[in-house]
Amino acid sequence: GIDTEPNRAAVINDAELWVQLVEQAFTLFFFTEWLMRLIAFRDKLAGFKDTWFALDTFLVAMMIFDNWLLASLLVFIRGGASVSSVIGNSAWLRLLRMLRMLRMARMARLVTAMPELMVMIRAMWTAFR
C-alpha cells in the first residue's frame, strides 16, 4: 500500500508532500462521510448503537488524532527536535494507521454481498474515462 511502502516517515509532518496531501484528502473524505451518516440519523445517540457506525466513529477519530491533532501538536512542541525524541517509539501510531484497513475490509464485504454495486462502480469508472 501507499502508506506502508514509500512513506518511511514516523509522523505525517516528516513525509513527502504528496503523501501528506493524500493523507489529508483521505481524512477529509472519511470525516465528511462520517458526518453525513451522523446527520442522516434522526436520533443521533441511537446512531452510536449501530456497531458499524461506532467502528467508523473510532476509525475517523483515530485518523483525526493522527493527521490533524498530533501533527499540529508536533509543529508546536518540536521546534527542531527529532521526532523520536518528542514521541519516542512511534510503532503504536503505525498500528493505529493499520486499523484504517478495517474500512477497506468492510467495503470488500459490501461489494461481495451486492454484486450489483460492483457493476455500478465499473459503469461509473467507464463513464469517467
Side-chain angles (χ1 to χ4, degrees):
I2 296 289
D3 193 41
T4 57
E5 292 173 12
N7 182 17
R8 300 285 185 226
V11 291
I12 194 67
N13 297 16
D14 295 337
E16 295 179 38
L17 180 62
W18 71 270
V19 174
Q20 291 181 31
L21 292 175
V22 169
E23 285 285 334
Q24 298 304 326
F26 275 111
T27 303
L28 185 62
F29 174 79
F30 287 127
F31 175 72
T32 304
E33 177 199 14
W34 176 86
L35 189 61
M36 284 191 276
R37 287 182 61 202
L38 178 66
I39 291 170
F41 285 109
R42 288 182 191 242
D43 182 15
K44 307 302 184 224
L45 293 177
F48 290 99
K49 293 178 184 174
D50 177 26
T51 53
W52 284 115
F53 186 72
L55 175 66
D56 286 345
T57 301
F58 174 74
L59 293 174
V60 169
M62 289 297 104
M63 288 177 76
I64 289 172
F65 172 76
D66 186 28
N67 292 326
W68 294 345
L69 300 178
L70 185 62
S72 300
L73 183 65
L74 284 175
V75 167
F76 290 115
I77 66 172
R78 197 154 95 173
S82 69
V83 173
S84 59
S85 67
V86 175
I87 63 172
N89 186 0
S90 65
W92 63 276
L93 290 175
R94 292 188 187 270
L95 178 65
L96 292 176
R97 286 182 181 173
M98 293 302 290
L99 287 175
R100 284 188 272 169
M101 296 299 266
L102 289 173
R103 289 185 70 86
M104 294 305 294
R106 181 175 168 213
M107 289 302 296
R109 192 177 113 203
L110 178 68
V111 167
T112 58
M114 298 177 60
E116 302 87 12
L117 183 61
M118 195 59 198
V119 171
M120 290 174 47
I121 291 172
R122 285 186 184 143
M124 288 189 312
W125 180 255
T126 303
F128 281 127
R129 285 196 258 160

